[in-house]
Structure formats: C-alpha cells, structure tokens
Amino acid sequence: MSISSTLISWYLPKKRNLPWRNTRNPYYIWVSEVVLQQTRVAQGIDYYYRFIEHFPNINSLANAHPDEVMKVWQGLGYYSRARNLQAGAKVVQEKFRGQLPANFELLLSIKGVGPYTAAAIASFAFDLPFAVVDGNVSRVLARLFGIFEPVNSSRGAKMISQKAEDIFNPQQSALHNQAIMELGALQCVPRNPDCTSCPFHLVCFAWQHQQVDNLPQKKPKGKVRPRYHNYMVVKKDGGVFLTKRAGKDIWHGLYEFPLIETESPMDDQTIQNTQQWNEWFGNACKIESLSDEFIHQLSHQSIRARFFMLTVDSKAFKLDSSVFLCPIANLRSYPVHKLIEKYLNNEFK
Ligand code: SF4
C-alpha cells in the first residue's frame, strides 16, 4: 500500500467534520485557510462563520470599509491577514471578475496568497494536483523520513517540499492533502503522539529510532523585543479621544487611545517628563488614576501597557491632528487590538 493510500484509509473514518471541508467554494476555502494560519481550529471556526456571513463573496469583501473588515477580525490577531485578504479580494474583483482562478500561478499572483494558500485553494476547490505543506505536514514528513534539517530553514523547507511531492497522489489531490494535514493535527501531534496507534509506526523513522521528541528540528526564533505602551485615556464631553494606528508597525488600521511609547516602564511622575507628554499636555492635565499593567505577547514582541486616566483643561492641551473625540456610546463600534479590548472590558463595561 502506498503512503498516500494508507493516509487516505486512515483519514476517511477519522476525519473531523469541519465546515470548510464541506464546500468547494474557493472563496470560503481561501477564507478558512487565512483564518487558520496562526489560529487553532476551535477558535477559527467561529471566525470563519462570522467572516463569510459578513462578507459572503469576494465582491462584498472587496467593497467593504476597511474598518468593518478589521472589526469582524477583531480578537483573532495577526491583523495583516485581514488586510491582505481584503487587498487580495480587490485584485480578484479587478483582474478576475470576482472569481478566484482555477490556476496555481494566477492564484499566486493575488496579494497575500503564498504557495501554501495557492496550493490549498487549487487542491481543495479545484482538485488540481498541488501538494500542501503546512506546519502539521512538515512535522509528519520530518518524523516519517527522519529529516533533521530545521523545517524553518530554507534547506529544510526544500527537503520537506520534495518529500511532500514524492508521496503526493495527484489523482486524489484534495483527499491526500486533507489526510496528511489531519494526520498531523490528530495523530502526529507535537508532543507525546500515540505512535503505537499510528498507521505508519512500522515505517516511521522517528518512531523506529526513538527520535519522535527530537523532530521536527527548528531554528531558534529571534529575540523578543520588549515594548512599553502608555495610553492616555482623555475624557471630554461624554467622549474619549481615540486615534487610528498608522505606518508599518503592528496593529495598523486599528484604533487605540493616544499612545506614548517609552524605552522603559513609566510611573505617573516620570511619564510627565517625556517630550510627548509636554507637547500634548504641558501643565494642562492631571492624572486621575493609573491602571495595573496589561501584558500582551506577540511572537517577537512583549508589550506591557498601562492606561493613564487624565482630566484636562480643555483649552490648553493639544493632541495630534489624527486624534478625534469618540462618544463613549460608540466606542465598541471601532476595531481595536487586544490590549484596548481588555481595558475596555475592565473600565467601560
Ligand atoms: S509513528 Fe509517531 S512520529 Fe511517526 S508519523 Fe506516526 S505519530 Fe508521527
């Protein structure tokens, strides 16, 4: 029996009933693949339904206001995924009349669609013969064939891709890809897989050589950068000041309170000595309260945030021109990142 046949025989009785497996709609499949990047299936299902309910087709996504897209994505993190999805939808609307093309190269030409997503759409929606390689597949292949090259190095990734091609079954593209991804998700899990019940235990390099815990190998991640966010919560006339993050930094396109970012943690005395504080508030402001620290971990950043609740002399302070007064009743209608969401849940219930 070939590896692919064994995979498919294992998969058919074991597979989970996931919504994106019951459709051939390439747009739904695209959305599901983007949602599932960096997200667990259990969390992704709700967002998948929410997203396709709000934006049922490419044109509705392409034509939506970017704030609306971010609002629907709020809480899922890695917001560039949502921005790229909408940018890609615009390309599909303009270049392909709102229909995802049944062609791997053309799919790759769409903004935000990389080799993995293009292969997934090509295979799952159109049954085209492209092997899908995601984290689960890499783990299975590294263990099955004893690939010790780090899977996140270019050499390791090439070796994994080659193995994925070698065992690929072009006659049953979608089924084969679903099966190997599911084996990684359910059977060949990162820690303590139950190898004795695996259909490959007799041929698996890692199991046969007691190397399961050592595979796959990964290059260590870079350093985590600490950041200190000091948010100025300034209330006025039943509203609070907000601004939209811009530039190439994290969370751009999301809303937050005016921010003073510093190199080290600030207390209520030291924050008042910063240049930004003086430009915005001078002496026209009083700190009413200072929140506890909120910590948010991203893959390469660790953000510690504190919220300074201020009262101001309304004539004397001068915030940036991008800052606007948002009625408190409307606060929840803006897309915000996790730190602001946590704070709002505590202070603006
Ligand atoms: S035998 Fe164990 S390590 Fe090998 S593929 Fe199966 S679950 Fe993974």
Side-chain angles (χ1 to χ4, degrees):
M1 213 184 203
S2 70
I3 287 182
S4 182
S5 308
T6 307
L7 275 170
I8 292 170
S9 306
W10 171 88
Y11 171 70
L12 288 173
K14 297 257 191 223
K15 66 177 182 176
R16 291 167 295 174
N17 184 19
L18 301 174
W20 43 85
R21 288 197 180 145
N22 301 324
T23 179
R24 284 290 179 118
N25 180 324
Y27 169 65
Y28 289 178
I29 289 166
W30 184 20
V31 171
S32 74
E33 290 302 332
V34 177
V35 164
L36 290 178
Q37 290 162 14
Q38 330 274 354
T39 299
R40 284 173 295 108
V41 166
Q43 189 194 12
I45 287 178
D46 283 351
Y47 277 90
Y48 167 78
Y49 278 128
R50 210 161 112 184
F51 203 87
I52 60 174
E53 197 177 298
H54 273 81
F55 311 112
N57 50 49
I58 299 261
N59 288 334
S60 59
L61 175 59
N63 297 335
H65 191 288
D67 282 359
E68 197 188 341
V69 179
M70 296 304 251
K71 189 68 194 167
V72 174
W73 202 267
Q74 183 174 313
L76 198 54
Y78 295 95
Y79 290 88
S80 58
R81 291 183 293 173
R83 284 190 293 270
N84 287 338
L85 200 48
Q86 189 180 32
K90 286 180 197 283
V91 173
V92 177
Q93 189 181 51
E94 282 156 23
K95 276 177 61 180
F96 305 115
R97 298 187 186 163
Q99 302 294 323
L100 279 158
N103 176 302
F104 180 78
E105 298 301 329
L106 293 179
L107 287 166
L108 262 186
S109 74
I110 298 165
K111 185 173 166 58
V113 176
Y116 166 76
T117 310
I121 299 170
S123 161
F124 302 147
F126 305 117
D127 226 351
L128 294 172
F130 290 92
V132 166
V133 179
D134 68 352
N136 284 329
V137 175
S138 296
R139 182 170 58 255
V140 170
L141 295 176
R143 286 173 172 170
L144 202 48
F145 296 105
I147 297 172
F148 282 85
E149 204 65 37
V151 290
N152 55 347
S153 68
S154 57
R155 198 173 133 78
K158 258 191 207 148
M159 292 168 83
I160 294 285
S161 285
Q162 188 54 55
K163 279 295 171 203
E165 292 295 333
D166 293 348
I167 63 162
F168 187 58
N169 175 353
Q171 276 76 44
Q172 292 183 290
S173 171
L175 206 51
H176 171 95
N177 281 329
Q178 296 286 14
I180 191 165
M181 289 167 80
E182 196 75 332
L183 189 86
L186 300 183
Q187 179 77 45
C188 194
V189 293
R191 284 197 201 102
N192 304 322
D194 178 11
C195 293
T196 53
S197 67
C198 174
F200 294 109
H201 73 281
L202 291 178
V203 294
C204 173
F205 177 94
W207 176 241
Q208 293 295 327
H209 295 84
Q210 292 85 45
Q211 294 295 324
V212 175
D213 293 342
N214 294 328
L215 288 168
Q217 298 267 318
K218 287 192 183 161
K219 276 196 306 192
K221 283 186 185 165
K223 262 186 159 179
V224 174
R225 172 187 168 204
R227 298 180 73 170
Y228 300 93
H229 282 193
N230 307 281
Y231 287 108
M232 304 295 124
V233 185
V234 188
K235 286 186 181 169
K236 187 180 168 228
D237 303 335
V240 62
F241 287 99
L242 283 186
T243 184
K244 190 175 188 174
R245 282 180 75 88
K248 290 217 184 291
D249 203 356
I250 52 166
W251 297 332
H252 83 257
L254 296 176
Y255 290 78
E256 62 182 11
F257 303 113
L259 166 67
I260 300 179
E261 182 163 0
T262 51
E263 297 289 319
S264 54
M266 291 277 137
D267 61 24
D268 51 355
Q269 292 303 313
T270 48
I271 192 76
Q272 297 182 54
N273 295 327
T274 60
Q275 187 184 351
Q276 187 66 83
W277 175 283
N278 281 308
E279 277 172 22
W280 283 349
F281 305 117
N283 295 321
C285 162
K286 198 170 132 219
I287 297 173
E288 289 295 330
S289 63
L290 176 55
S291 75
D292 290 339
E293 193 170 61
F294 290 70
I295 299 175
H296 190 64
Q297 302 289 355
L298 298 171
S299 51
H300 292 95
Q301 300 185 23
S302 171
I303 301 169
R304 309 174 91 92
R306 302 193 82 178
F307 292 81
F308 294 73
M309 181 79 83
L310 310 181
T311 51
V312 290
D313 172 344
S314 60
K315 290 189 197 92
F317 75 100
K318 189 173 176 296
L319 291 167
D320 296 343
S321 57
S322 61
V323 175
F324 65 98
L325 189 61
C326 168
I328 286 178
N330 293 353
L331 256 181
R332 299 280 175 176
S333 64
Y334 287 90
V336 296
H337 54 77
K338 205 77 184 172
L339 278 172
I340 300 295
E341 190 183 348
K342 279 188 203 160
Y343 180 74
L344 293 181
N345 288 343
N346 276 11
E347 300 294 329
F348 289 82
K349 286 172 200 154

